[in-house]
Amino acid sequence: MQITDGFNPGDDEIVISILKKWSGGQIGNELFYTIAGMMPTTGVVVVIIHNPSDPEIIFVTRPSDDPLLKSQLNLPGKLFLNADFNRSDKFPANGPLERITKDEIESDFPKKPEYVGVSLNSDTRGSWAVLVYIIELENKSLYRGVGEWIKMSKISDRKDIIQTEVNHINLVLGKINCTDIL
């Protein structure tokens, strides 16, 4: 058996035996970030935007107990769970989209999100591929969820915004597309 880089003989078997105890439910934050740092994860992000000519975008606050990005601002988004692939509607992205409304913005979407494309990213949390959706609002008062509206021109000035979120916004605004990364 090949030994994992940095492990001693027998360590692989110990880690495997512990991980096999997982029953398929919630994963603790520290364990999640450790695993996510080892291999890419996949998620969904929704860019809720007002006034595309001078964009204003909604950001939500990460939990205060987040081990890496405590109380930082990010776009509403959630990772895929295994359960999302066993949905009766056969559309796995509906799982993260539903969790965004329940856990992140605490409201239904003001209208149906429209799929834009895939954004590839990497930061202190690890690497991931994100399905990016957009909701364009003519009137931002239609948005009834939690969060903070921030003008696109002010995002780089804000130290509390996770800067990799700009990649998703740029995809939505057409500043990059999937072929730009090939």
Side-chain angles (χ1 to χ4, degrees):
M1 177 177 186
Q2 182 179 357
I3 298 175
T4 300
D5 189 29
F7 278 21
N8 293 319
D11 286 352
D12 282 280
E13 293 80 6
I14 294 168
V15 171
I16 291 166
S17 71
I18 292 170
L19 290 176
K20 283 186 173 182
K21 293 178 182 180
W22 180 58
S23 62
Q26 179 97 13
I27 296 175
N29 282 341
E30 292 289 335
L31 179 57
F32 170 78
Y33 280 124
T34 300
I35 293 170
M38 297 168 72
M39 58 185 47
T41 55
T42 308
V44 169
V45 163
V46 179
V47 178
I48 302 173
I49 188 170
H50 167 63
N51 190 15
S53 62
D54 185 18
E56 222 174 340
I57 297 161
I58 199 76
F59 285 85
V60 295
T61 305
R62 294 194 62 78
S64 60
D65 64 349
D66 186 304
L68 295 177
L69 298 165
K70 180 190 333 189
S71 302
Q72 293 284 294
L73 297 175
N74 61 246
L75 297 166
K78 288 291 184 182
L79 293 176
F80 280 95
L81 302 176
N82 280 334
D84 297 328
F85 294 87
N86 298 316
R87 295 175 57 90
S88 60
D89 65 9
K90 306 289 185 218
F91 193 69
N94 281 342
L97 288 167
E98 289 168 3
R99 288 191 297 282
I100 290 168
T101 62
K102 180 182 172 203
D103 302 336
E104 295 246 330
I105 65 171
E106 300 175 11
S107 172
D108 289 335
F109 290 122
K111 60 194 225 185
K112 185 179 178 183
E114 177 186 332
Y115 175 73
V116 176
V118 176
S119 177
L120 303 175
N121 295 278
S122 183
D123 68 14
T124 57
R125 298 172 286 181
S127 302
W128 63 94
V130 178
L131 305 182
V132 180
Y133 288 78
I134 183 174
I135 296 175
E136 273 188 84
L137 299 177
E138 304 220 359
N139 181 346
K140 71 180 180 184
S141 69
L142 296 173
Y143 178 76
R144 306 248 184 254
V146 299
E148 179 180 350
W149 287 101
I150 300 174
K151 286 199 175 278
M152 180 70 185
S153 59
K154 301 292 183 193
I155 290 173
S156 62
D157 299 336
R158 297 282 301 259
K159 301 304 177 213
D160 58 344
I161 294 175
I162 301 168
Q163 290 300 304
T164 52
E165 302 295 275
V166 174
N167 298 338
H168 314 315
I169 297 166
N170 284 337
L171 181 67
V172 161
L173 296 176
K175 293 182 178 178
I176 60 170
N177 63 51
C178 294
T179 59
D180 290 339
I181 58 176
L182 298 178

mmCIF file of all heavy atoms in Angstrom, residues 139-182:
data_model
loop_
_atom_site.group_PDB
_atom_site.id
_atom_site.type_symbol
_atom_site.label_atom_id
_atom_site.label_comp_id
_atom_site.label_asym_id
_atom_site.label_seq_id
_atom_site.Cartn_x
_atom_site.Cartn_y
_atom_site.Cartn_z
ATOM 1 N N ASN A 139 -35.187 46.749 -8.958
ATOM 2 C CA ASN A 139 -35.469 47.469 -7.725
ATOM 3 C C ASN A 139 -34.935 46.624 -6.568
ATOM 4 O O ASN A 139 -35.459 45.550 -6.293
ATOM 5 C CB ASN A 139 -36.979 47.690 -7.589
ATOM 6 C CG ASN A 139 -37.352 48.443 -6.343
ATOM 7 O OD1 ASN A 139 -36.553 48.598 -5.424
ATOM 8 N ND2 ASN A 139 -38.582 48.913 -6.305
ATOM 9 N N LYS A 140 -33.908 47.099 -5.898
ATOM 10 C CA LYS A 140 -33.296 46.275 -4.848
ATOM 11 C C LYS A 140 -34.212 46.080 -3.642
ATOM 12 O O LYS A 140 -33.966 45.204 -2.829
ATOM 13 C CB LYS A 140 -31.931 46.804 -4.440
ATOM 14 C CG LYS A 140 -31.914 48.087 -3.676
ATOM 15 C CD LYS A 140 -30.472 48.467 -3.356
ATOM 16 C CE LYS A 140 -30.407 49.744 -2.579
ATOM 17 N NZ LYS A 140 -29.034 50.167 -2.341
ATOM 18 N N SER A 141 -35.280 46.834 -3.532
ATOM 19 C CA SER A 141 -36.220 46.623 -2.425
ATOM 20 C C SER A 141 -36.971 45.293 -2.587
ATOM 21 O O SER A 141 -37.605 44.828 -1.641
ATOM 22 C CB SER A 141 -37.197 47.789 -2.296
ATOM 23 O OG SER A 141 -38.078 47.817 -3.391
ATOM 24 N N LEU A 142 -36.888 44.673 -3.768
ATOM 25 C CA LEU A 142 -37.491 43.350 -3.963
ATOM 26 C C LEU A 142 -36.748 42.285 -3.155
ATOM 27 O O LEU A 142 -37.285 41.224 -2.876
ATOM 28 C CB LEU A 142 -37.487 42.962 -5.441
ATOM 29 C CG LEU A 142 -38.329 43.838 -6.358
ATOM 30 C CD1 LEU A 142 -38.103 43.442 -7.814
ATOM 31 C CD2 LEU A 142 -39.795 43.724 -5.995
ATOM 32 N N TYR A 143 -35.500 42.572 -2.792
ATOM 33 C CA TYR A 143 -34.702 41.649 -1.997
ATOM 34 C C TYR A 143 -35.072 41.820 -0.533
ATOM 35 O O TYR A 143 -34.934 42.899 0.032
ATOM 36 C CB TYR A 143 -33.206 41.916 -2.206
ATOM 37 C CG TYR A 143 -32.330 41.015 -1.375
ATOM 38 C CD1 TYR A 143 -32.135 39.692 -1.729
ATOM 39 C CD2 TYR A 143 -31.718 41.475 -0.224
ATOM 40 C CE1 TYR A 143 -31.352 38.858 -0.966
ATOM 41 C CE2 TYR A 143 -30.923 40.653 0.544
ATOM 42 C CZ TYR A 143 -30.750 39.341 0.169
ATOM 43 O OH TYR A 143 -29.969 38.504 0.929
ATOM 44 N N ARG A 144 -35.536 40.746 0.097
ATOM 45 C CA ARG A 144 -36.002 40.815 1.481
ATOM 46 C C ARG A 144 -35.086 40.045 2.451
ATOM 47 O O ARG A 144 -35.403 39.898 3.608
ATOM 48 C CB ARG A 144 -37.416 40.254 1.581
ATOM 49 C CG ARG A 144 -38.381 40.906 0.624
ATOM 50 C CD ARG A 144 -39.403 41.716 1.368
ATOM 51 N NE ARG A 144 -40.391 42.258 0.459
ATOM 52 C CZ ARG A 144 -40.442 43.528 0.109
ATOM 53 N NH1 ARG A 144 -39.553 44.357 0.557
ATOM 54 N NH2 ARG A 144 -41.372 43.967 -0.703
ATOM 55 N N GLY A 145 -33.947 39.561 1.945
ATOM 56 C CA GLY A 145 -33.066 38.765 2.783
ATOM 57 C C GLY A 145 -32.080 39.604 3.580
ATOM 58 O O GLY A 145 -32.077 40.830 3.516
ATOM 59 N N VAL A 146 -31.231 38.918 4.327
ATOM 60 C CA VAL A 146 -30.198 39.585 5.116
ATOM 61 C C VAL A 146 -28.978 39.846 4.237
ATOM 62 O O VAL A 146 -28.821 39.252 3.187
ATOM 63 C CB VAL A 146 -29.794 38.747 6.342
ATOM 64 C CG1 VAL A 146 -30.977 38.518 7.256
ATOM 65 C CG2 VAL A 146 -29.157 37.424 5.934
ATOM 66 N N GLY A 147 -28.110 40.723 4.694
ATOM 67 C CA GLY A 147 -26.885 41.011 3.970
ATOM 68 C C GLY A 147 -26.661 42.500 3.813
ATOM 69 O O GLY A 147 -27.431 43.327 4.315
ATOM 70 N N GLU A 148 -25.585 42.818 3.108
ATOM 71 C CA GLU A 148 -25.199 44.209 2.916
ATOM 72 C C GLU A 148 -24.990 44.469 1.424
ATOM 73 O O GLU A 148 -24.242 43.753 0.763
ATOM 74 C CB GLU A 148 -23.897 44.487 3.675
ATOM 75 C CG GLU A 148 -23.381 45.883 3.540
ATOM 76 C CD GLU A 148 -22.079 46.129 4.300
ATOM 77 O OE1 GLU A 148 -21.652 45.271 5.087
ATOM 78 O OE2 GLU A 148 -21.490 47.201 4.092
ATOM 79 N N TRP A 149 -25.651 45.499 0.890
ATOM 80 C CA TRP A 149 -25.445 45.917 -0.486
ATOM 81 C C TRP A 149 -24.131 46.693 -0.563
ATOM 82 O O TRP A 149 -23.912 47.625 0.205
ATOM 83 C CB TRP A 149 -26.579 46.821 -0.961
ATOM 84 C CG TRP A 149 -27.862 46.117 -1.215
ATOM 85 C CD1 TRP A 149 -28.960 46.074 -0.405
ATOM 86 C CD2 TRP A 149 -28.192 45.344 -2.370
ATOM 87 N NE1 TRP A 149 -29.952 45.319 -0.981
ATOM 88 C CE2 TRP A 149 -29.507 44.866 -2.195
ATOM 89 C CE3 TRP A 149 -27.512 45.006 -3.543
ATOM 90 C CZ2 TRP A 149 -30.150 44.071 -3.136
ATOM 91 C CZ3 TRP A 149 -28.158 44.212 -4.481
ATOM 92 C CH2 TRP A 149 -29.450 43.752 -4.286
ATOM 93 N N ILE A 150 -23.267 46.298 -1.494
ATOM 94 C CA ILE A 150 -21.977 46.977 -1.660
ATOM 95 C C ILE A 150 -21.773 47.264 -3.143
ATOM 96 O O ILE A 150 -21.939 46.382 -3.984
ATOM 97 C CB ILE A 150 -20.820 46.120 -1.106
ATOM 98 C CG1 ILE A 150 -21.046 45.850 0.385
ATOM 99 C CG2 ILE A 150 -19.482 46.804 -1.350
ATOM 100 C CD1 ILE A 150 -20.051 44.901 1.006
ATOM 101 N N LYS A 151 -21.395 48.489 -3.442
ATOM 102 C CA LYS A 151 -21.095 48.857 -4.833
ATOM 103 C C LYS A 151 -19.837 48.114 -5.283
ATOM 104 O O LYS A 151 -18.868 48.005 -4.530
ATOM 105 C CB LYS A 151 -20.891 50.362 -4.972
ATOM 106 C CG LYS A 151 -22.194 51.141 -4.892
ATOM 107 C CD LYS A 151 -21.992 52.514 -5.484
ATOM 108 C CE LYS A 151 -23.275 53.270 -5.534
ATOM 109 N NZ LYS A 151 -24.093 52.951 -6.671
ATOM 110 N N MET A 152 -19.865 47.643 -6.512
ATOM 111 C CA MET A 152 -18.728 46.915 -7.081
ATOM 112 C C MET A 152 -17.453 47.763 -6.986
ATOM 113 O O MET A 152 -16.386 47.252 -6.682
ATOM 114 C CB MET A 152 -19.040 46.542 -8.537
ATOM 115 C CG MET A 152 -17.963 45.783 -9.234
ATOM 116 S SD MET A 152 -17.807 44.123 -8.574
ATOM 117 C CE MET A 152 -16.391 43.568 -9.486
ATOM 118 N N SER A 153 -17.568 49.058 -7.205
ATOM 119 C CA SER A 153 -16.402 49.950 -7.174
ATOM 120 C C SER A 153 -15.772 50.051 -5.782
ATOM 121 O O SER A 153 -14.639 50.503 -5.647
ATOM 122 C CB SER A 153 -16.796 51.346 -7.664
ATOM 123 O OG SER A 153 -17.827 51.877 -6.845
ATOM 124 N N LYS A 154 -16.478 49.616 -4.730
ATOM 125 C CA LYS A 154 -15.974 49.708 -3.350
ATOM 126 C C LYS A 154 -15.461 48.367 -2.812
ATOM 127 O O LYS A 154 -14.872 48.325 -1.734
ATOM 128 C CB LYS A 154 -17.075 50.222 -2.414
ATOM 129 C CG LYS A 154 -17.620 51.571 -2.792
ATOM 130 C CD LYS A 154 -16.589 52.638 -2.584
ATOM 131 C CE LYS A 154 -17.161 54.010 -2.906
ATOM 132 N NZ LYS A 154 -16.142 55.021 -3.019
ATOM 133 N N ILE A 155 -15.669 47.280 -3.556
ATOM 134 C CA ILE A 155 -15.321 45.953 -3.039
ATOM 135 C C ILE A 155 -13.833 45.823 -2.739
ATOM 136 O O ILE A 155 -13.448 45.317 -1.682
ATOM 137 C CB ILE A 155 -15.797 44.847 -4.009
ATOM 138 C CG1 ILE A 155 -17.332 44.783 -3.979
ATOM 139 C CG2 ILE A 155 -15.183 43.493 -3.663
ATOM 140 C CD1 ILE A 155 -17.932 43.849 -5.000
ATOM 141 N N SER A 156 -12.968 46.306 -3.622
ATOM 142 C CA SER A 156 -11.526 46.156 -3.390
ATOM 143 C C SER A 156 -11.045 46.970 -2.187
ATOM 144 O O SER A 156 -9.993 46.670 -1.619
ATOM 145 C CB SER A 156 -10.735 46.536 -4.643
ATOM 146 O OG SER A 156 -10.965 47.893 -4.960
ATOM 147 N N ASP A 157 -11.808 47.991 -1.789
ATOM 148 C CA ASP A 157 -11.447 48.802 -0.613
ATOM 149 C C ASP A 157 -11.806 48.118 0.699
ATOM 150 O O ASP A 157 -11.291 48.496 1.747
ATOM 151 C CB ASP A 157 -12.170 50.154 -0.648
ATOM 152 C CG ASP A 157 -11.805 50.981 -1.866
ATOM 153 O OD1 ASP A 157 -10.722 50.769 -2.431
ATOM 154 O OD2 ASP A 157 -12.624 51.846 -2.241
ATOM 155 N N ARG A 158 -12.704 47.156 0.629
ATOM 156 C CA ARG A 158 -13.219 46.517 1.841
ATOM 157 C C ARG A 158 -12.319 45.356 2.256
ATOM 158 O O ARG A 158 -12.128 44.410 1.501
ATOM 159 C CB ARG A 158 -14.640 46.015 1.609
ATOM 160 C CG ARG A 158 -15.676 47.080 1.297
ATOM 161 C CD ARG A 158 -16.135 47.820 2.535
ATOM 162 N NE ARG A 158 -16.721 46.966 3.521
ATOM 163 C CZ ARG A 158 -18.019 46.822 3.724
ATOM 164 N NH1 ARG A 158 -18.883 47.494 2.994
ATOM 165 N NH2 ARG A 158 -18.463 46.025 4.660
ATOM 166 N N LYS A 159 -11.792 45.413 3.448
ATOM 167 C CA LYS A 159 -10.919 44.345 3.963
ATOM 168 C C LYS A 159 -11.721 43.184 4.540
ATOM 169 O O LYS A 159 -11.163 42.137 4.842
ATOM 170 C CB LYS A 159 -9.965 44.902 5.024
ATOM 171 C CG LYS A 159 -9.086 46.021 4.512
ATOM 172 C CD LYS A 159 -8.276 45.602 3.297
ATOM 173 C CE LYS A 159 -7.468 46.749 2.753
ATOM 174 N NZ LYS A 159 -7.306 46.732 1.340
ATOM 175 N N ASP A 160 -13.035 43.353 4.695
ATOM 176 C CA ASP A 160 -13.870 42.303 5.271
ATOM 177 C C ASP A 160 -14.545 41.434 4.200
ATOM 178 O O ASP A 160 -15.318 40.542 4.527
ATOM 179 C CB ASP A 160 -14.919 42.887 6.214
ATOM 180 C CG ASP A 160 -15.842 43.899 5.555
ATOM 181 O OD1 ASP A 160 -15.512 44.402 4.457
ATOM 182 O OD2 ASP A 160 -16.901 44.202 6.137
ATOM 183 N N ILE A 161 -14.233 41.670 2.930
ATOM 184 C CA ILE A 161 -14.802 40.875 1.841
ATOM 185 C C ILE A 161 -13.767 39.853 1.371
ATOM 186 O O ILE A 161 -12.602 40.204 1.145
ATOM 187 C CB ILE A 161 -15.230 41.770 0.656
ATOM 188 C CG1 ILE A 161 -16.378 42.683 1.074
ATOM 189 C CG2 ILE A 161 -15.634 40.916 -0.551
ATOM 190 C CD1 ILE A 161 -16.802 43.680 0.016
ATOM 191 N N ILE A 162 -14.190 38.622 1.237
ATOM 192 C CA ILE A 162 -13.312 37.573 0.699
ATOM 193 C C ILE A 162 -13.085 37.909 -0.774
ATOM 194 O O ILE A 162 -14.018 37.883 -1.576
ATOM 195 C CB ILE A 162 -13.944 36.179 0.871
ATOM 196 C CG1 ILE A 162 -14.202 35.906 2.358
ATOM 197 C CG2 ILE A 162 -13.064 35.106 0.246
ATOM 198 C CD1 ILE A 162 -15.074 34.700 2.621
ATOM 199 N N GLN A 163 -11.862 38.267 -1.131
ATOM 200 C CA GLN A 163 -11.584 38.824 -2.452
ATOM 201 C C GLN A 163 -11.766 37.828 -3.604
ATOM 202 O O GLN A 163 -11.989 38.238 -4.742
ATOM 203 C CB GLN A 163 -10.191 39.447 -2.488
ATOM 204 C CG GLN A 163 -10.091 40.726 -1.662
ATOM 205 C CD GLN A 163 -11.049 41.820 -2.119
ATOM 206 O OE1 GLN A 163 -11.049 42.225 -3.265
ATOM 207 N NE2 GLN A 163 -11.888 42.287 -1.203
ATOM 208 N N THR A 164 -11.730 36.514 -3.333
ATOM 209 C CA THR A 164 -11.975 35.558 -4.419
ATOM 210 C C THR A 164 -13.417 35.618 -4.907
ATOM 211 O O THR A 164 -13.715 35.134 -6.002
ATOM 212 C CB THR A 164 -11.621 34.117 -4.004
ATOM 213 O OG1 THR A 164 -12.282 33.811 -2.771
ATOM 214 C CG2 THR A 164 -10.129 33.935 -3.847
ATOM 215 N N GLU A 165 -14.309 36.229 -4.147
ATOM 216 C CA GLU A 165 -15.706 36.379 -4.571
ATOM 217 C C GLU A 165 -15.801 37.229 -5.842
ATOM 218 O O GLU A 165 -16.749 37.108 -6.612
ATOM 219 C CB GLU A 165 -16.559 37.003 -3.466
ATOM 220 C CG GLU A 165 -16.566 36.218 -2.168
ATOM 221 C CD GLU A 165 -17.203 34.848 -2.305
ATOM 222 O OE1 GLU A 165 -18.421 34.753 -2.191
ATOM 223 O OE2 GLU A 165 -16.463 33.872 -2.525
ATOM 224 N N VAL A 166 -14.802 38.090 -6.069
ATOM 225 C CA VAL A 166 -14.793 38.939 -7.256
ATOM 226 C C VAL A 166 -14.759 38.090 -8.532
ATOM 227 O O VAL A 166 -15.321 38.488 -9.553
ATOM 228 C CB VAL A 166 -13.607 39.929 -7.201
ATOM 229 C CG1 VAL A 166 -13.482 40.736 -8.482
ATOM 230 C CG2 VAL A 166 -13.767 40.860 -5.993
ATOM 231 N N ASN A 167 -14.145 36.913 -8.480
ATOM 232 C CA ASN A 167 -14.121 36.031 -9.655
ATOM 233 C C ASN A 167 -15.534 35.669 -10.098
ATOM 234 O O ASN A 167 -15.826 35.647 -11.297
ATOM 235 C CB ASN A 167 -13.331 34.753 -9.360
ATOM 236 C CG ASN A 167 -11.894 35.031 -9.036
ATOM 237 O OD1 ASN A 167 -11.347 36.064 -9.392
ATOM 238 N ND2 ASN A 167 -11.262 34.110 -8.335
ATOM 239 N N HIS A 168 -16.409 35.374 -9.153
ATOM 240 C CA HIS A 168 -17.796 35.025 -9.481
ATOM 241 C C HIS A 168 -18.524 36.240 -10.070
ATOM 242 O O HIS A 168 -19.289 36.115 -11.024
ATOM 243 C CB HIS A 168 -18.555 34.533 -8.250
ATOM 244 C CG HIS A 168 -17.814 33.543 -7.418
ATOM 245 N ND1 HIS A 168 -17.128 32.471 -7.942
ATOM 246 C CD2 HIS A 168 -17.646 33.471 -6.084
ATOM 247 C CE1 HIS A 168 -16.580 31.779 -6.959
ATOM 248 N NE2 HIS A 168 -16.880 32.370 -5.822
ATOM 249 N N ILE A 169 -18.273 37.396 -9.484
ATOM 250 C CA ILE A 169 -18.912 38.627 -9.965
ATOM 251 C C ILE A 169 -18.439 38.936 -11.379
ATOM 252 O O ILE A 169 -19.240 39.294 -12.249
ATOM 253 C CB ILE A 169 -18.626 39.794 -8.997
ATOM 254 C CG1 ILE A 169 -19.236 39.501 -7.622
ATOM 255 C CG2 ILE A 169 -19.152 41.104 -9.566
ATOM 256 C CD1 ILE A 169 -18.742 40.407 -6.516
ATOM 257 N N ASN A 170 -17.139 38.813 -11.626
ATOM 258 C CA ASN A 170 -16.615 39.075 -12.962
ATOM 259 C C ASN A 170 -17.211 38.133 -14.002
ATOM 260 O O ASN A 170 -17.465 38.542 -15.137
ATOM 261 C CB ASN A 170 -15.093 38.984 -12.970
ATOM 262 C CG ASN A 170 -14.445 40.202 -12.346
ATOM 263 O OD1 ASN A 170 -15.045 41.278 -12.291
ATOM 264 N ND2 ASN A 170 -13.237 40.048 -11.859
ATOM 265 N N LEU A 171 -17.448 36.897 -13.636
ATOM 266 C CA LEU A 171 -18.101 35.957 -14.549
ATOM 267 C C LEU A 171 -19.503 36.449 -14.892
ATOM 268 O O LEU A 171 -19.903 36.474 -16.051
ATOM 269 C CB LEU A 171 -18.149 34.552 -13.931
ATOM 270 C CG LEU A 171 -18.784 33.466 -14.772
ATOM 271 C CD1 LEU A 171 -17.938 33.169 -16.007
ATOM 272 C CD2 LEU A 171 -18.956 32.200 -13.955
ATOM 273 N N VAL A 172 -20.235 36.879 -13.879
ATOM 274 C CA VAL A 172 -21.601 37.386 -14.073
ATOM 275 C C VAL A 172 -21.605 38.638 -14.958
ATOM 276 O O VAL A 172 -22.464 38.810 -15.810
ATOM 277 C CB VAL A 172 -22.260 37.670 -12.705
ATOM 278 C CG1 VAL A 172 -23.441 38.599 -12.834
ATOM 279 C CG2 VAL A 172 -22.677 36.365 -12.050
ATOM 280 N N LEU A 173 -20.635 39.520 -14.747
ATOM 281 C CA LEU A 173 -20.582 40.770 -15.495
ATOM 282 C C LEU A 173 -19.986 40.600 -16.889
ATOM 283 O O LEU A 173 -19.864 41.565 -17.635
ATOM 284 C CB LEU A 173 -19.789 41.824 -14.710
ATOM 285 C CG LEU A 173 -20.398 42.249 -13.376
ATOM 286 C CD1 LEU A 173 -19.474 43.218 -12.660
ATOM 287 C CD2 LEU A 173 -21.773 42.859 -13.580
ATOM 288 N N GLY A 174 -19.580 39.365 -17.226
ATOM 289 C CA GLY A 174 -19.019 39.105 -18.550
ATOM 290 C C GLY A 174 -17.586 39.560 -18.709
ATOM 291 O O GLY A 174 -17.078 39.638 -19.821
ATOM 292 N N LYS A 175 -16.911 39.853 -17.593
ATOM 293 C CA LYS A 175 -15.513 40.281 -17.668
ATOM 294 C C LYS A 175 -14.578 39.100 -17.892
ATOM 295 O O LYS A 175 -13.454 39.268 -18.312
ATOM 296 C CB LYS A 175 -15.114 41.037 -16.407
ATOM 297 C CG LYS A 175 -15.850 42.366 -16.272
ATOM 298 C CD LYS A 175 -15.397 43.109 -15.043
ATOM 299 C CE LYS A 175 -16.114 44.450 -14.954
ATOM 300 N NZ LYS A 175 -15.734 45.192 -13.754
ATOM 301 N N ILE A 176 -15.039 37.903 -17.529
ATOM 302 C CA ILE A 176 -14.324 36.659 -17.832
ATOM 303 C C ILE A 176 -15.365 35.645 -18.267
ATOM 304 O O ILE A 176 -16.551 35.789 -17.995
ATOM 305 C CB ILE A 176 -13.540 36.104 -16.618
ATOM 306 C CG1 ILE A 176 -14.472 35.802 -15.448
ATOM 307 C CG2 ILE A 176 -12.416 37.031 -16.219
ATOM 308 C CD1 ILE A 176 -13.801 35.028 -14.324
ATOM 309 N N ASN A 177 -14.930 34.626 -18.953
ATOM 310 C CA ASN A 177 -15.826 33.510 -19.259
ATOM 311 C C ASN A 177 -15.037 32.220 -19.144
ATOM 312 O O ASN A 177 -13.822 32.239 -18.943
ATOM 313 C CB ASN A 177 -16.512 33.672 -20.621
ATOM 314 C CG ASN A 177 -15.527 33.669 -21.764
ATOM 315 O OD1 ASN A 177 -14.691 32.778 -21.861
ATOM 316 N ND2 ASN A 177 -15.633 34.654 -22.644
ATOM 317 N N CYS A 178 -15.718 31.124 -19.252
ATOM 318 C CA CYS A 178 -15.086 29.831 -19.016
ATOM 319 C C CYS A 178 -13.914 29.578 -19.981
ATOM 320 O O CYS A 178 -12.957 28.908 -19.618
ATOM 321 C CB CYS A 178 -16.115 28.704 -19.121
ATOM 322 S SG CYS A 178 -17.330 28.813 -17.791
ATOM 323 N N THR A 179 -13.954 30.116 -21.184
ATOM 324 C CA THR A 179 -12.877 29.871 -22.129
ATOM 325 C C THR A 179 -11.628 30.681 -21.789
ATOM 326 O O THR A 179 -10.536 30.374 -22.254
ATOM 327 C CB THR A 179 -13.321 30.175 -23.573
ATOM 328 O OG1 THR A 179 -13.728 31.549 -23.643
ATOM 329 C CG2 THR A 179 -14.441 29.268 -24.009
ATOM 330 N N ASP A 180 -11.770 31.730 -20.966
ATOM 331 C CA ASP A 180 -10.611 32.523 -20.563
ATOM 332 C C ASP A 180 -9.630 31.706 -19.737
ATOM 333 O O ASP A 180 -8.451 32.054 -19.665
ATOM 334 C CB ASP A 180 -11.038 33.734 -19.721
ATOM 335 C CG ASP A 180 -11.763 34.792 -20.534
ATOM 336 O OD1 ASP A 180 -11.602 34.801 -21.767
ATOM 337 O OD2 ASP A 180 -12.502 35.586 -19.932
ATOM 338 N N ILE A 181 -10.087 30.667 -19.105
ATOM 339 C CA ILE A 181 -9.224 29.907 -18.206
ATOM 340 C C ILE A 181 -8.581 28.716 -18.894
ATOM 341 O O ILE A 181 -7.774 28.021 -18.305
ATOM 342 C CB ILE A 181 -9.984 29.457 -16.949
ATOM 343 C CG1 ILE A 181 -11.183 28.606 -17.304
ATOM 344 C CG2 ILE A 181 -10.372 30.651 -16.120
ATOM 345 C CD1 ILE A 181 -11.922 28.046 -16.125
ATOM 346 N N LEU A 182 -8.932 28.460 -20.127
ATOM 347 C CA LEU A 182 -8.357 27.310 -20.847
ATOM 348 C C LEU A 182 -6.995 27.630 -21.409
ATOM 349 O O LEU A 182 -6.652 28.691 -21.734
ATOM 350 C CB LEU A 182 -9.299 26.852 -21.960
ATOM 351 C CG LEU A 182 -10.663 26.365 -21.491
ATOM 352 C CD1 LEU A 182 -11.522 25.997 -22.691
ATOM 353 C CD2 LEU A 182 -10.526 25.176 -20.568
#
